[in-house]
Amino acid sequence: MTPTDLEAMAASVPDGALVAMPPDNSLPSVAFAKALIRRGARDLRLVGVPVSGFATDILIGAGCVASVQTSAVSLGEAGFAPRFTAALKAGKLSITDATCPAIHTMLQAAEKGVPFMPLRGIIGSDILANRPDWRVIESPFGTGEKIVVLPALHPDIAVFHGAMADSHGNIYVGRRRECGTIAHASKRSLVTVERVVEGNFLEDEKLAAGTINATYISAFAIAERGARPAALLDQYGFDGAYVAAYARAAKTDAGFADWCAEHVYQSQAVAAQ
């Protein structure tokens, strides 16, 4: 498998697609989110695995998103996600509330090829009143115990950033196994990586456990520092100053537009020169 162009990969995402993305403390592909903005994506249905952060907020701000299913949307220490908050207040966004274990459980059901999976810990909470697709049943083993069953969640596309790809298209993500889960559960996986190296990670005892098989990867593109401002394993750290500056700028529509002009469009033009 050979790398594709980032912009071409973003162009392959249809409007209205159900897109799963990992959180800021994992391996989000902010580079891909910016490419989706440049492509003018619309009506995307995002799934935060299990929470949503920076990439989700910039996509919402750019008008790319119709709905979000997640456990939270936040910029961490930088506070609330400003474009998410503004869109929610304006009634421009549909939100489906979930819990972190529930998101993982629904994806794991899809990963395993079963129609649903049970989960403890939800009975007694208010969330069940707002999730008619989550059912409370009695244990089929005659114990009388009540349990919640959740339907399998099959995203159209998994999007994340890997540390590197090998010449076979295997993607190394280290211990960030939620990326493996969404790759297994999704119909397609579109990935950005820092670099491509020769060899086969799956034949390396030190790398195999942190590698997603190319079988689950539809396409990948090289995007150096593609997770920024999130950290990338042990290669670069979280850029808190970048997020804080974004949070200040994105409090207003005009501020977000200026931020996009500089960090989404202008930076791409400079990179292309």
Side-chain angles (χ1 to χ4, degrees), residues 152-170:
L153 178 60
H154 297 271
D156 295 317
I157 299 168
V159 171
F160 55 91
H161 186 73
M164 54 187 174
D166 66 21
S167 49
H168 295 267
N170 302 309

Side-chain angles (χ1 to χ4, degrees), residues 13-138:
V13 177
D15 290 346
L18 182 64
V19 180
M21 301 190 299
D24 288 348
N25 64 355
S26 184
L27 295 173
S29 180
V30 175
F32 194 79
K34 291 178 177 180
L36 286 172
I37 293 172
R38 290 190 293 270
R39 114 130 171 79
R42 289 293 179 267
D43 297 323
L44 297 178
R45 297 170 294 137
L46 302 185
V47 178
V49 185
V51 299
S52 304
F54 188 87
T56 292
D57 202 58
I58 64 173
L59 285 166
I60 292 171
C64 301
V65 181
S67 67
V68 180
Q69 178 173 192
T70 188
S71 304
V73 184
S74 170
L75 296 183
E77 292 186 2
F80 292 114
R83 292 295 88 199
F84 164 77
T85 302
L88 195 60
K89 288 181 177 178
K92 296 179 179 179
L93 196 63
S94 173
I95 301 298
T96 302
D97 199 9
T99 70
C100 294
I103 292 285
H104 286 301
T105 298
M106 291 187 290
L107 290 167
Q108 287 165 353
E111 179 182 38
K112 296 176 185 297
V114 296
F116 61 86
M117 284 184 67
L119 180 67
R120 290 187 182 277
I122 298 177
I123 294 176
S125 69
D126 292 339
I127 196 169
L128 281 174
N130 298 298
R131 292 299 304 248
D133 55 329
W134 296 0
R135 309 289 178 82
V136 178
I137 67 168
E138 187 172 311

Side-chain angles (χ1 to χ4, degrees), residues 159-240:
V159 171
F160 55 91
H161 186 73
M164 54 187 174
D166 66 21
S167 49
H168 295 267
N170 302 309
I171 306 294
Y172 183 74
V173 297
R175 62 180 178 173
R176 304 304 186 188
R177 297 310 303 171
E178 60 268 35
C179 295
T181 298
I182 59 174
H184 298 162
S186 300
K187 298 171 185 175
R188 289 196 293 153
S189 296
L190 303 178
V191 184
T192 53
V193 297
E194 295 289 318
R195 62 190 184 278
V196 179
V197 301
E198 291 298 319
N200 187 336
F201 298 155
L202 296 175
E203 294 178 351
D204 187 320
E205 289 287 355
K206 294 181 179 179
L207 297 177
T211 295
I212 300 173
N213 194 302
T215 300
Y216 301 102
I217 306 300
S218 304
F220 70 91
I222 297 173
E224 294 182 7
R225 300 187 72 81
R228 182 177 183 255
L232 179 66
L233 306 183
D234 59 353
Q235 297 187 27
Y236 50 83
F238 176 70
D239 192 340

